[in-house]
mmCIF file of all heavy atoms in Angstrom:
data_model
loop_
_atom_site.group_PDB
_atom_site.id
_atom_site.type_symbol
_atom_site.label_atom_id
_atom_site.label_comp_id
_atom_site.label_asym_id
_atom_site.label_seq_id
_atom_site.Cartn_x
_atom_site.Cartn_y
_atom_site.Cartn_z
ATOM 1 N N LEU A 34 -41.857 19.200 4.248
ATOM 2 C CA LEU A 34 -42.501 18.323 5.193
ATOM 3 C C LEU A 34 -42.824 19.069 6.532
ATOM 4 O O LEU A 34 -43.947 18.927 7.076
ATOM 5 C CB LEU A 34 -41.508 17.170 5.551
ATOM 6 C CG LEU A 34 -42.085 15.970 6.234
ATOM 7 C CD1 LEU A 34 -43.057 15.253 5.421
ATOM 8 C CD2 LEU A 34 -40.987 15.041 6.663
ATOM 9 N N ALA A 35 -41.918 19.893 7.008
ATOM 10 C CA ALA A 35 -42.139 20.700 8.271
ATOM 11 C C ALA A 35 -43.270 21.629 7.969
ATOM 12 O O ALA A 35 -44.211 21.721 8.887
ATOM 13 C CB ALA A 35 -40.855 21.440 8.571
ATOM 14 N N GLY A 36 -43.327 22.278 6.804
ATOM 15 C CA GLY A 36 -44.471 23.214 6.563
ATOM 16 C C GLY A 36 -45.708 22.507 6.494
ATOM 17 O O GLY A 36 -46.848 23.091 7.031
ATOM 18 N N SER A 37 -45.809 21.301 5.974
ATOM 19 C CA SER A 37 -47.104 20.600 5.849
ATOM 20 C C SER A 37 -47.687 20.284 7.280
ATOM 21 O O SER A 37 -48.892 20.019 7.399
ATOM 22 C CB SER A 37 -46.894 19.314 5.012
ATOM 23 O OG SER A 37 -46.254 18.319 5.831
ATOM 24 N N PHE A 38 -46.814 20.283 8.248
ATOM 25 C CA PHE A 38 -47.356 19.957 9.653
ATOM 26 C C PHE A 38 -47.469 21.291 10.508
ATOM 27 O O PHE A 38 -47.620 21.230 11.671
ATOM 28 C CB PHE A 38 -46.441 19.028 10.400
ATOM 29 C CG PHE A 38 -46.573 17.584 9.927
ATOM 30 C CD1 PHE A 38 -45.609 16.950 9.157
ATOM 31 C CD2 PHE A 38 -47.745 16.842 10.207
ATOM 32 C CE1 PHE A 38 -45.705 15.734 8.678
ATOM 33 C CE2 PHE A 38 -47.887 15.604 9.756
ATOM 34 C CZ PHE A 38 -46.864 15.022 8.978
ATOM 35 N N SER A 39 -47.346 22.438 9.814
ATOM 36 C CA SER A 39 -47.244 23.708 10.562
ATOM 37 C C SER A 39 -48.535 24.518 10.337
ATOM 38 O O SER A 39 -49.236 24.296 9.284
ATOM 39 C CB SER A 39 -46.097 24.561 10.162
ATOM 40 O OG SER A 39 -44.911 23.827 10.347
ATOM 41 N N ALA A 40 -48.837 25.394 11.183
ATOM 42 C CA ALA A 40 -49.951 26.318 11.036
ATOM 43 C C ALA A 40 -49.616 27.264 9.879
ATOM 44 O O ALA A 40 -48.589 27.692 9.703
ATOM 45 C CB ALA A 40 -50.236 27.067 12.321
ATOM 46 N N GLY A 41 -50.731 27.624 9.055
ATOM 47 C CA GLY A 41 -50.545 28.494 7.927
ATOM 48 C C GLY A 41 -49.887 29.804 8.323
ATOM 49 O O GLY A 41 -48.999 30.293 7.531
ATOM 50 N N THR A 42 -50.252 30.384 9.470
ATOM 51 C CA THR A 42 -49.721 31.667 9.802
ATOM 52 C C THR A 42 -48.200 31.612 10.007
ATOM 53 O O THR A 42 -47.473 32.485 9.636
ATOM 54 C CB THR A 42 -50.390 32.215 11.104
ATOM 55 O OG1 THR A 42 -50.502 31.163 12.027
ATOM 56 C CG2 THR A 42 -51.732 32.780 10.827
ATOM 57 N N ALA A 43 -47.767 30.536 10.617
ATOM 58 C CA ALA A 43 -46.359 30.391 10.902
ATOM 59 C C ALA A 43 -45.557 30.291 9.509
ATOM 60 O O ALA A 43 -44.441 30.859 9.395
ATOM 61 C CB ALA A 43 -46.069 29.110 11.645
ATOM 62 N N ILE A 44 -46.202 29.647 8.528
ATOM 63 C CA ILE A 44 -45.495 29.530 7.207
ATOM 64 C C ILE A 44 -45.395 31.006 6.596
ATOM 65 O O ILE A 44 -44.340 31.436 6.099
ATOM 66 C CB ILE A 44 -46.227 28.651 6.252
ATOM 67 C CG1 ILE A 44 -46.300 27.212 6.931
ATOM 68 C CG2 ILE A 44 -45.435 28.550 4.980
ATOM 69 C CD1 ILE A 44 -47.162 26.268 6.183
ATOM 70 N N THR A 45 -46.554 31.668 6.565
ATOM 71 C CA THR A 45 -46.559 33.015 5.843
ATOM 72 C C THR A 45 -45.673 33.982 6.570
ATOM 73 O O THR A 45 -45.151 34.872 5.940
ATOM 74 C CB THR A 45 -47.960 33.567 5.738
ATOM 75 O OG1 THR A 45 -48.679 33.358 6.959
ATOM 76 C CG2 THR A 45 -48.709 32.843 4.599
ATOM 77 N N GLN A 46 -45.529 33.757 7.868
ATOM 78 C CA GLN A 46 -44.536 34.741 8.643
ATOM 79 C C GLN A 46 -43.148 34.302 8.462
ATOM 80 O O GLN A 46 -42.254 34.890 8.983
ATOM 81 C CB GLN A 46 -44.956 34.800 10.117
ATOM 82 C CG GLN A 46 -46.226 35.572 10.404
ATOM 83 C CD GLN A 46 -46.842 35.293 11.742
ATOM 84 O OE1 GLN A 46 -46.207 34.585 12.526
ATOM 85 N NE2 GLN A 46 -47.988 35.792 11.953
ATOM 86 N N GLY A 47 -42.955 33.170 7.760
ATOM 87 C CA GLY A 47 -41.558 32.703 7.501
ATOM 88 C C GLY A 47 -40.907 32.128 8.770
ATOM 89 O O GLY A 47 -39.675 32.175 8.902
ATOM 90 N N ARG A 48 -41.750 31.583 9.622
ATOM 91 C CA ARG A 48 -41.017 30.978 10.871
ATOM 92 C C ARG A 48 -40.766 29.593 10.754
ATOM 93 O O ARG A 48 -40.044 28.963 11.600
ATOM 94 C CB ARG A 48 -42.041 31.259 12.046
ATOM 95 C CG ARG A 48 -42.035 32.654 12.548
ATOM 96 C CD ARG A 48 -42.780 32.858 13.868
ATOM 97 N NE ARG A 48 -44.267 32.690 13.702
ATOM 98 C CZ ARG A 48 -44.994 31.946 14.486
ATOM 99 N NH1 ARG A 48 -44.393 31.184 15.446
ATOM 100 N NH2 ARG A 48 -46.295 31.845 14.388
ATOM 101 N N VAL A 49 -41.194 28.918 9.640
ATOM 102 C CA VAL A 49 -40.880 27.493 9.519
ATOM 103 C C VAL A 49 -39.588 27.326 8.700
ATOM 104 O O VAL A 49 -39.416 27.873 7.577
ATOM 105 C CB VAL A 49 -42.043 26.773 8.682
ATOM 106 C CG1 VAL A 49 -41.731 25.331 8.547
ATOM 107 C CG2 VAL A 49 -43.349 26.952 9.460
ATOM 108 N N THR A 50 -38.630 26.612 9.227
ATOM 109 C CA THR A 50 -37.481 26.255 8.486
ATOM 110 C C THR A 50 -37.365 24.724 8.284
ATOM 111 O O THR A 50 -37.853 24.158 7.281
ATOM 112 C CB THR A 50 -36.173 26.778 9.089
ATOM 113 O OG1 THR A 50 -36.122 26.433 10.512
ATOM 114 C CG2 THR A 50 -35.969 28.246 8.850
ATOM 115 N N LEU A 51 -36.894 23.965 9.354
ATOM 116 C CA LEU A 51 -36.720 22.581 9.125
ATOM 117 C C LEU A 51 -37.580 21.770 10.149
ATOM 118 O O LEU A 51 -37.625 20.557 10.087
ATOM 119 C CB LEU A 51 -35.216 22.191 9.279
ATOM 120 C CG LEU A 51 -34.393 22.827 8.267
ATOM 121 C CD1 LEU A 51 -32.920 22.497 8.505
ATOM 122 C CD2 LEU A 51 -34.759 22.383 6.825
#
Side-chain angles (χ1 to χ4, degrees):
Chain A
L34 193 66
S37 71
F38 285 108
S39 300
T42 43
I44 303 171
T45 42
Q46 287 164 7
R48 286 192 285 133
V49 179
T50 47
L51 298 178

